Amino acid sequence: MPRMVPNIANVLKDLTVRKVRTGELRAEPQKVSAQFLTKCLKEDQAQRLSKAFQEQHLVDSQGFLREDPRHRRWIATAESVLGFDAPDSLVADESCLAEVMNVAWAKHEFTAQFAEEIFDFCEGKELKLAQMAPGWKTELGPIEVFEFGPKQGPLAVAIHGMAKSMLHEWDHTAKALAEEGYHVLLPNFHSMLNGLTPGTISSDSVSIVVKDLMRQSSNNGISMLLGKSWGGGMASKISQDTALKVQKMVLVAPAELNPWPETCAVALFWAEDDAVVPIRKAETHPELQQKLTLFHKEKTGGHRVLDAYVPLIRHFSHQRAEAHKVELLQKEESAKRSAWNGLHTSFKVSLIGLLGLAVPGYFLYRRRGEKDARGKRLDAAKE
């Protein structure tokens, strides 16, 4: 159902009075971006047409259509840009491009955007969308986001793993970062529509969603990006997007390890008994291991964000001057233990050596003393 209008509100009210079960699904307008147009066009065509729409002021500054596409004023621009490369005739009701333009306007066209919710509703289930937290809209549709910490704080974004059951495993870390003054966002990618869920959504689409969240939270960069498993692989990929300006990154058993910007400090966490994403995956990237600020391993813990990681992540979250503090603290403690162990060992060796010399010397001295005493007694007896 498109935008709520008084007529629709009256219809819903009337049906409710008649005790007819009702539900509302709102199809929000979508930005006509290059990514959106790739549903019908090749990537280079989509980029050219998106740029032309902006230049011809067919879309506003945010990329939304200025008027109903059924007026067909966009056709001339499309024909000019695509020329003989046009994928179809651009005829209404048969052209892919014409149909997605109607979907972008969200006031006329049927869409499969809510197909799952519609079938669930027909089977007697409650609408999933009604439980979604309002206020977070992205170019690819609405998304549920969990928030922690002060809104004016530096931004941290944590991306969950593939399993829906582990959606809240970053909560403990998020609360700790919130205490450090961070504004932490935990987007629920399982709440995305149009099949844009973990396992099907591309890293480019994840980057688009994260950028939209970043801008809506009034930030021009991400102070800390966190990701676990599937989310860790996505985080390491999108960290390369210069628009995100990722300063620090925390990865927990990432499904993939990808190069990150030189300006980004990275902490890696892994349990040695992780059977889902084995720690040996890290060993296949020795060149990336050398660039890590911190590589922390736990003997046990499996494929989870462990509580043992949280204090180290808190240290890692400190100011830029302390970016290597966690690693240095660990090294210093290790060095202190090594130095003490070395000193202790040296002391024991020295003590044993001294005892080895002193004890025989004592008994030798005592025997000589006794011999001298016996000698004196014999001399006295002779006299």
Side-chain angles (χ1 to χ4, degrees), residues 243-351:
L244 293 175
K245 300 178 184 176
V246 179
Q247 296 177 20
K248 297 175 185 175
M249 184 163 60
V250 172
L251 303 176
V252 175
E256 294 181 44
L257 264 177
N258 301 281
W260 52 81
E262 293 292 335
T263 55
C264 180
V266 179
L268 180 62
F269 296 84
W270 227 306
E272 294 180 0
D273 66 346
D274 190 333
V276 179
V277 183
I279 195 171
R280 63 175 176 270
K281 181 180 281 288
E283 298 170 358
T284 62
H285 298 277
E287 75 288 355
L288 295 181
Q289 282 197 51
Q290 294 176 1
K291 296 171 61 180
L292 291 170
T293 300
L294 167 67
F295 189 2
H296 179 81
K297 305 174 188 177
E298 288 286 330
K299 286 291 183 183
T300 59
H303 194 59
R304 295 183 297 118
V305 180
L306 302 176
D307 289 345
Y309 300 159
V310 177
L312 295 176
I313 295 174
R314 289 185 77 147
H315 279 296
F316 182 66
S317 72
H318 291 168
Q319 299 299 319
R320 180 177 295 275
E322 301 180 21
H324 298 274
K325 184 175 181 180
V326 176
E327 180 190 34
L328 292 175
L329 279 173
Q330 287 191 330
K331 286 183 176 179
E332 286 171 4
E333 290 299 321
S334 177
K336 287 177 182 177
R337 287 194 297 270
S338 298
W340 167 249
N341 290 337
L343 179 61
H344 189 236
T345 301
S346 299
F347 175 75
K348 286 192 293 185
V349 170
S350 300
L351 181 60

Side-chain angles (χ1 to χ4, degrees), residues 1-3 25-29 103 105-107 111 113-114:
M1 187 174 288
R3 304 173 184 83
L25 292 167
R26 299 187 184 187
E28 299 287 346
V103 170
W105 183 245
K107 200 175 181 179
T111 172
Q113 181 176 359
F114 301 113

